[in-house]
């Protein structure tokens, strides 16, 4: 909801702009987006004029999204283990390199369809590095209550630029040629480098050493796979990307073949798409008040389906522009809703990885969709491709029954305070495996509530890194229940506890409330040893109770 701020009069949607760091990065991001959109118009139209293949035209979209599919998960692990600010800087360096190389190539007259795709791929690598780090940094820069507003602002800002950039690109392309469009894009790509270099923000440092990349990726995949909210959001995003990318991938062909027009009309239609997204961003909070987030995303998919059908059947520029405005509104509502859902469901320690997995699979869906709908258009007809995409979008809307998008609920995803227990042995970080036993005394009246908490406890502990989690009941003293699990090393045990959020710790408080006894549940830590004569005998180390 948009509430007025009593001190500034700003609504919640614009409140994040009061933060200097967010405002600086957000502003230069819009400048960079403007350059990218101008370049996209020029590069898509250039491909349509130098290549007779409908598939090559559609692959312009795939070239920039495919690296996100391949590299985002690695980039997310990098963003969670290194400075997100410097990861963003590296990503924008790749974007600047791609746009500068394009200017030089066009200026020298050395241009080909495959070079266009290669430079689009390089720019996609820049996006793959930058986007997870930037979106994860939003939670570092701002309070969690401002994350939905910040994500909406990011989408609204981009789509405001989208309403201007394509039209500007079409005008520049028509009157000054592609070289001027590419030169403007290169200049816009340099702006973020200076801002990121100068702007700093506080990030809570981990007391533990960095994870190996393979371990970090594995932990991110495990957490995502075990989080129903994130898993559903990612599945929905992948399906939506597969179907909805047809609008943008096939639009140059619609302009060239159905509307029989040139780059100015192409820019106008893209501006209509961005204008619809901008209006949807302004109305987003009102729409969320009148329907659930899951229904809103379903309606947005239906709006995109209506857009596909309209541009497939019309030969009027005005009708096509209105249809694209509807499609742009559906596009923004869907991506904003899913993005915020993933962010709010992710603890800070893994948010870069969950976002990167979401970006990777949604970009993979868009890359596959560009190829699928381009192939259908080339082998059958443009109308068939757009009508097929419309049908697919209706199925995506129905998929909300299987993959619901969670409501935007505020939860405390910050890591809770954890103090390592005192030990009688001097363990190394790689010492292990570590066994953990926690003993509870539960009365008969509290067993059902206890088992319910333990089901949640197993889920929480396992996705944070616990292995072989079990719950055992004492046959001789039935009121005694024992929770057990393992971690491969002592460092993994510490990571597990540092990863538990304040929301996860609330579960511990519930279990303590169900526990009978004057003392809290007792925790026993042990290190496993073999019975091999050449190895040390098993040694059990008992710590104080873990809080």
């Amino acid at each position: 909801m948009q509430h007025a701020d009593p001190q500034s009069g700003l609504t919640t949607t614009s409140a994040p702009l009061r933060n200097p760091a967010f405002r600086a990065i957000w502003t230069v991001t819009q400048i960079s987006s403007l350059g990218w959109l101008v370049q996209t118009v020029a590069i898509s139209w250039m491909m349509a004029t130098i290549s007779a293949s409908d598939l090559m035209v559609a692959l312009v979209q795939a070239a920039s999204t495919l690296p996100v599919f391949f590299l985002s998960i690695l980039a997310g692990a990098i963003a969670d283990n290194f400075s997100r600010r410097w990861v963003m800087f590296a990503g924008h360096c790749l974007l600047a390199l791609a746009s500068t190389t394009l200017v030089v190539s066009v200026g020298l007259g050395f241009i080909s369809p495959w070079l266009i795709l290669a430079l689009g791929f390089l720019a996609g690598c820049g996006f793959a590095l930058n986007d997870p780090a930037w979106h994860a940094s939003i939670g570092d820069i701002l309070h969690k209550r401002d994350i939905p507003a910040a994500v909406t602002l990011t989408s609204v800002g981009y789509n405001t630029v989208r309403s201007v950039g394509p039209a500007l690109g079409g005008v520049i392309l028509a009157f000054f040629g592609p070289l001027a469009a590419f030169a403007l894009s290169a200049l816009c790509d340099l702006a973020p480098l200076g801002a990121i270099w100068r702007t700093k923000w506080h990030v809570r440092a981990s007391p533990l050493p960095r994870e190996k990349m393979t371990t970090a990726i594995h932990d991110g995949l495990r957490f995502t796979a075990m989080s129903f909210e994130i898993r559903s959001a990612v599945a929905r995003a992948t399906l939506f990307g597969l179907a909805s990318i047809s609008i943008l991938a096939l639009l140059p062909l619609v302009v060239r073949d159905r509307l029989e027009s040139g780059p100015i009309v192409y820019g106008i239609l893209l501006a209509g798409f961005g204008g619809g997204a901008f209006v949807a961003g302004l109305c987003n909070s009102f729409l969320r008040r009148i329907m659930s987030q899951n229904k809103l995303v379903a309606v947005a998919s239906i709006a995109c389906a209506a857009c596909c059908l309209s541009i497939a059947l019309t030969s009027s520029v005005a009708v096509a522009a209105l249809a694209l405005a509807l499609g742009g509104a559906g596009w923004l509502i869907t991506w904003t809703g899913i993005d915020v859902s993933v962010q709010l469901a992710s603890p800070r320690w893994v948010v870069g990885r969950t976002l990167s997995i979401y970006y990777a699979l949604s970009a993979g869906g868009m890359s596959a969709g560009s190829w699928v709908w381009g192939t259908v258009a080339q082998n059958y007809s443009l109308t068939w491709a757009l009508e097929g995409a419309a049908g697919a979008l209706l199925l995506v809307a129905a998929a909300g029954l299987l993959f619901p998008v969670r409501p935007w609920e505020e939860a405390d995803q910050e890591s809770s305070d954890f103090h390592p227990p005192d030990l009688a042995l001097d363990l190394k970080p790689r010492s292990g495996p570590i066994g953990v036993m926690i003993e509870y005394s539960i009365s008969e009246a509290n067993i059902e509530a206890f088992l319910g908490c333990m089901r949640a406890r197993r889920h929480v502990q396992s996705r944070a890194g616990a292995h072989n989690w079990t719950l055992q009941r004492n046959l001789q003293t039935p009121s005694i229940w024992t929770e057990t699990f393992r971690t491969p090393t002592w460092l993994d045990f510490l990571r597990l506890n540092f990863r538990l959020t304040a929301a996860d710790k609330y579960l511990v408080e519930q279990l303590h409330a169900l526990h009978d006894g004057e003392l809290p549940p007792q925790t026993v830590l042990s290190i496993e040893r073999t019975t091999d004569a050449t190895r040390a005998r098993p040694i059990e180390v008992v710590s104080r109770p873990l809080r």
Side-chain angles (χ1 to χ4, degrees):
M1 296 175 66
Q2 289 189 348
H3 298 291
D5 182 84
Q7 295 181 348
S8 66
L10 295 173
T11 63
T12 300
T13 300
S14 56
L17 293 175
R18 290 178 293 171
N19 184 289
F22 178 83
R23 184 173 63 247
I25 304 300
W26 182 87
T27 301
V28 295
T29 298
Q30 310 320 309
I31 295 173
S32 178
S33 297
L34 176 65
W36 172 251
L37 288 166
V38 169
Q39 178 175 296
T40 299
V41 171
I43 209 168
S44 297
W45 190 255
M46 177 178 284
M47 180 67 87
T49 55
I50 67 175
S51 174
S53 170
D54 292 350
L55 180 58
M56 292 295 285
V57 175
L59 285 179
V60 170
Q61 291 288 333
S64 59
T65 54
L66 198 59
V68 180
F69 174 70
F70 286 117
L71 300 177
S72 268
I73 297 177
L74 175 62
I78 293 172
D80 282 335
N81 279 278
F82 295 89
S83 168
R84 289 169 181 159
R85 186 167 70 94
W86 288 115
V87 175
M88 291 164 57
F89 187 84
H92 279 287
C93 283
L94 291 180
L95 286 169
L97 177 62
S99 58
T100 303
T101 303
L102 187 60
V103 171
V104 173
S105 300
V106 174
L108 296 176
F110 181 71
I111 197 70
S112 69
W114 287 108
L115 179 61
I116 289 175
L117 294 181
L119 293 176
F121 187 88
L122 180 61
C125 293
F127 287 123
L129 272 179
N130 176 75
D131 288 354
W134 163 229
H135 284 258
S137 295
I138 290 174
D140 297 331
I141 298 171
L142 300 171
H143 191 278
K144 61 181 177 295
R145 65 171 175 267
D146 291 327
I147 289 178
V151 173
T152 301
L153 263 177
T154 301
S155 295
V156 168
Y158 176 74
N159 285 285
T160 301
V161 174
R162 187 195 286 274
S163 65
V164 177
L168 177 63
V171 170
I172 294 174
L173 187 61
F175 291 99
F176 301 100
L179 182 60
F182 296 143
L184 175 62
S185 175
L187 290 175
C188 290
D189 281 334
L190 296 176
L193 297 177
I196 295 172
W197 183 276
R198 295 189 306 269
T199 306
K200 297 180 180 180
W201 54 87
H202 174 73
V203 179
R204 183 178 178 180
S206 171
L208 302 177
R210 293 191 181 103
E211 295 179 82
K212 293 181 179 178
M213 285 296 104
T214 53
T215 303
I217 292 171
H218 174 268
D219 289 352
L221 291 170
R222 179 188 60 214
F223 186 92
T224 301
M226 296 188 67
S227 299
F228 175 75
E229 299 93 342
I230 300 176
R231 196 169 65 240
S232 294
V234 169
R236 193 81 165 273
T238 304
L239 294 173
F240 180 79
L242 177 69
S244 65
I245 194 61
S246 59
I247 299 173
L248 298 177
L250 300 178
L251 188 57
L253 302 178
V254 172
V255 174
R256 187 190 68 185
D257 300 339
R258 292 197 62 82
L259 303 180
E260 298 179 348
S261 300
I264 293 181
V265 170
Y266 179 54
I268 290 172
L269 293 182
L270 281 177
F273 187 89
F278 172 71
V279 173
L282 296 180
C283 300
N284 204 12
S285 61
F286 169 74
L287 294 173
R288 286 190 285 111
R289 287 200 299 269
I290 62 176
M291 69 178 71
S292 69
Q293 189 63 40
N294 192 47
K295 290 182 180 178
L296 191 57
V297 172
V299 171
S301 296
I302 295 172
C304 289
C307 172
C308 284
L309 280 177
S310 298
I311 61 176
L313 300 176
T314 188
S315 58
S316 167
V317 174
V319 172
L322 290 174
L324 283 162
L326 182 63
W331 180 275
L332 178 129
I333 288 171
T334 299
W335 293 121
T336 299
I338 294 175
D339 194 307
V340 174
S341 295
V342 173
Q343 289 229 29
L344 294 184
S346 303
R348 299 309 307 163
W349 69 267
V350 76
V351 64
R353 279 163 280 184
T354 56
L355 284 171
S356 69
I357 292 168
Y358 153 57
Y359 293 142
L361 293 180
S362 58
M366 287 189 281
S367 297
S370 297
W371 178 79
V372 167
W373 305 121
T375 300
V376 173
Q378 179 167 294
N379 294 336
Y380 298 95
S381 71
L382 179 61
T383 302
W384 274 39
L386 289 168
E387 289 176 347
L393 281 163
L394 293 178
L395 293 177
V396 173
L401 297 174
L402 296 175
F403 307 113
V405 177
R406 62 167 282 170
W408 289 2
E409 298 173 351
E410 185 176 311
D412 192 346
Q413 298 289 11
E414 295 291 336
S415 297
S416 61
D417 293 331
F418 170 72
H419 303 285
D422 298 325
L423 302 178
L425 289 182
D426 183 19
L427 297 184
K428 300 293 188 294
R430 296 183 61 84
S431 298
I434 303 299
V436 183
M437 294 189 300
I438 307 173
E439 192 173 272
Y440 304 87
S441 177
I442 306 297
S443 66
E444 287 291 331
N446 290 332
I447 286 180
E448 287 301 319
F450 174 75
L451 291 176
C453 288
M454 276 299 172
R455 280 190 288 271
R457 171 80 167 171
R458 176 180 184 175
H459 181 75
V460 165
Q461 296 286 85
S462 297
R463 72 180 186 177
H467 295 200
N468 306 117
W469 190 98
T470 64
L471 179 63
Q472 302 166 7
R473 189 177 190 182
N474 192 309
L475 293 177
Q476 296 173 312
T477 310
S479 62
I480 301 300
W481 297 74
T482 305
E483 173 191 1
T484 69
F485 60 88
R486 300 168 67 250
T487 61
T489 66
W490 175 244
L491 182 58
D492 290 318
F493 172 80
L494 296 178
R495 285 196 196 282
L496 184 154
N497 284 279
F498 277 113
R499 287 170 176 174
L500 297 178
T501 66
D504 296 334
K505 290 288 186 174
Y506 176 67
L507 197 57
V508 176
E509 297 176 9
Q510 291 178 296
L511 289 169
H512 284 195
L514 296 171
H515 171 74
D516 291 334
E518 297 180 359
L519 296 176
Q522 298 298 301
T523 298
V524 176
L525 301 179
S526 61
I527 183 168
E528 297 181 14
R529 290 289 182 261
T530 69
T531 56
D532 192 316
T534 62
R535 303 291 297 274
R537 295 171 59 189
I539 299 175
E540 186 177 82
V541 183
V542 180
S543 77
R544 60 179 172 79
L546 297 183
R547 301 291 185 183

